[in-house]
Amino acid sequence: MKKIGVILMVLVSSNVLSQQKRARDYGIEIGVLKPGKNNAITDVDGVQVGHETIIEGNDVRTGVTAILPHTGNIFQHKVPAAIYIGNGFGKLAGYSQVKELGNIETPIVLTNTLSVSPAIDALISYTIEQPENQNAKSVNSVVGETNDGWLNDIRGRHVTQEHILNAIKNATGGIVKEGNVGAGTGTICFGYKGGIGTASRVLPKSEGEYTVGVLVQTNFGGVLEINGVPIDKELNRLPKYSQYEGDGSCMIVVITDAPLDSRNLERLGKRAMLGLAKTGGVASNGSGDFVIALSTAKDNLVANKSNSSFNENKVLRNEQTTPLFLATIEATEEAIINSLFAAETMTGHNKHHIPSIPTKGIIEIMKKYNRIKD
């Protein structure tokens, strides 16, 4: 890329990477449970998130988001996991082995639809190049995607292995950048600019003080509601279903430190779809809505090899999972709404223009319904 292109990319990237206001900054408090310190997926101890944002010229608006469930060697210390399919119009890689064995052995990568292949390759490279994994001859890369082809020159396939590896390398804990970053750079949600969003919930001490964190890549349609308020109805934006353009996708990653097995993690994933529904999402015919759910409980990590024939761990009983279900629903709903508040208006491929949500008008509507906390 020419020097001027590099300068443009840096300038635009620095703009979209600025931390935007979130729902709670406007007094919108979703649910009844308390969020964690950062109200982010990284509130689960050890979880890290990294972005690689690719903005070049007038047509390239895409990127990569990597989620690391813990700071160790994930291949050697696999994470109990499950994947729930809300609607399967998507290209999620790695599903069958997770379904069969109930664990994940790589970081999770989110990107665009036509970049799943380089992400798979990058995760293989990342895994086999670690010294402890020198004998690894099979790697199950987990890669999710949504289609950013309206704002991004998706056919140009601009995401490379280097981008994926950089996202993994740059992953950190703490505050997670949202909106037009990483895999959310070119996404659209409810007809507005979508992107990356995150939120968390911490259960009270009486329920175990477990944390549930959620990260979303929002690129789907429906009839927008915020905290129960019918925003699209108030804005007179109801779609004509004979000409409905609500197709899209949403990737949802749910991580908890509660000791759950893959069966109950799948049940957790189902509840994340309830959180999506509470925002007005409809999981339309052409939407790929996938939930990847993991437990990072340290005593329940799955050793790649062991001298014992048994896994020895404790998992929560079924009747102890309901508070975690509620936490997942609330955190998913808020993560989606945060992705909208954090996103900024964008013009991209073929001069396609997508506005950000009309924040001022939405806040006035929320006040009308008495849903703003002073």
Side-chain angles (χ1 to χ4, degrees), residues 281 304 308 360:
N304 186 46
S308 174
K360 184 177 180 180

Side-chain angles (χ1 to χ4, degrees), residues 116-164:
V116 172
S117 179
I120 292 172
D121 285 342
L123 284 171
I124 292 171
S125 297
Y126 169 80
T127 300
I128 66 175
E129 288 173 5
Q130 295 179 66
E132 291 178 280
N133 304 338
Q134 58 184 341
N135 294 321
K137 296 182 180 179
S138 172
V139 177
N140 187 49
S141 303
V142 176
V143 183
E145 55 79 25
T146 71
N147 195 308
D148 58 14
W150 184 252
L151 286 169
N152 173 51
D153 172 29
I154 193 170
R155 288 172 57 88
R157 292 187 283 181
H158 300 279
V159 176
T160 67
Q161 288 193 49
E162 183 179 4
H163 290 126
I164 286 96

Side-chain angles (χ1 to χ4, degrees), residues 152-296:
N152 173 51
D153 172 29
I154 193 170
R155 288 172 57 88
R157 292 187 283 181
H158 300 279
V159 176
T160 67
Q161 288 193 49
E162 183 179 4
H163 290 126
I164 286 96
L165 292 171
N166 282 343
I168 296 171
K169 178 182 178 181
N170 296 332
T172 62
I175 294 173
V176 177
K177 293 184 183 297
E178 300 173 290
N180 301 4
V181 295
T185 300
T187 62
I188 303 167
C189 189
F190 295 109
Y192 297 116
K193 184 67 188 67
I196 297 295
T198 190
S200 70
R201 292 293 185 272
V202 180
L203 299 186
K205 188 174 182 180
S206 61
E207 302 294 347
E209 290 187 296
Y210 299 118
T211 300
V212 175
V214 174
L215 182 141
V216 296
Q217 176 194 19
T218 60
N219 195 43
F220 63 95
V223 184
L224 177 62
E225 296 184 11
I226 298 179
N227 208 14
V229 176
I231 299 299
D232 271 353
K233 184 177 181 180
E234 287 285 338
L235 294 174
N236 196 27
R237 293 182 73 245
L238 299 182
K240 296 179 181 179
Y241 284 91
S242 60
Q243 302 173 351
Y244 189 54
E245 296 182 355
D247 287 347
S249 298
C250 188
M251 288 300 311
I252 305 172
V253 179
V254 181
I255 302 183
T256 181
D257 55 7
L260 299 180
D261 57 12
S262 61
R263 180 180 57 81
N264 269 327
L265 285 167
E266 183 175 1
R267 297 177 74 204
L268 213 66
K270 293 177 182 179
R271 273 61 181 189
M273 288 300 297
L274 298 182
L276 183 146
K278 289 187 72 175
T279 68
V282 296
S284 62
N285 173 68
S287 190
D289 304 304
F290 298 89
V291 187
I292 304 172
L294 305 85
S295 169
T296 63

